[in-house]
Amino acid sequence: MMLLWLGFGIGYWAMFVTIGAEQFGTNIRATAATTIPNMVRGTVVGMTTLYGFLKPTVLELHAAAIVGFICFAIGFYSIITIPETHDRDLDFVEPE
């Protein structure tokens, strides 16, 4: 069962990076694909702060579950509301 959850998390991360990189033109796509995960890693500060705030008021497991639920809810909302890019022309003209 644990491997199922690990596979879900890894697949989610791979799709996240792919979808994020597709939002940029081919000239900066590699930069976006390497920068986006670093920005996500930076949100760990906010997540640990929220966990530390919740831990005295609820059980540790519940605090972790609340933080995880919020993070996944934001992720799923982002995936649901992002526009489809399948037929998009890759010849972008980036604003200067």
Side-chain angles (χ1 to χ4, degrees), residues 9 11 17 28 37 40 43 52 63 71 75 80:
V17 173
I28 60 170
V40 172
T43 63
C71 292
I80 290 170

Side-chain angles (χ1 to χ4, degrees), residues 13 16-17 19-21 24 31-41:
W13 185 262
F16 167 75
V17 173
I19 290 170
F24 296 89
T31 303
T34 56
T35 304
I36 290 169
N38 291 327
M39 290 183 195
V40 172
R41 288 182 190 109

Side-chain angles (χ1 to χ4, degrees), residues 8-50:
F8 178 74
I10 292 167
Y12 182 82
W13 185 262
M15 287 300 297
F16 167 75
V17 173
T18 302
I19 290 170
E22 286 180 354
Q23 303 307 309
F24 296 89
T26 53
N27 57 339
I28 60 170
R29 188 167 288 179
T31 303
T34 56
T35 304
I36 290 169
N38 291 327
M39 290 183 195
V40 172
R41 288 182 190 109
T43 63
V44 171
V45 174
M47 291 187 298
T48 54
T49 302
L50 179 59

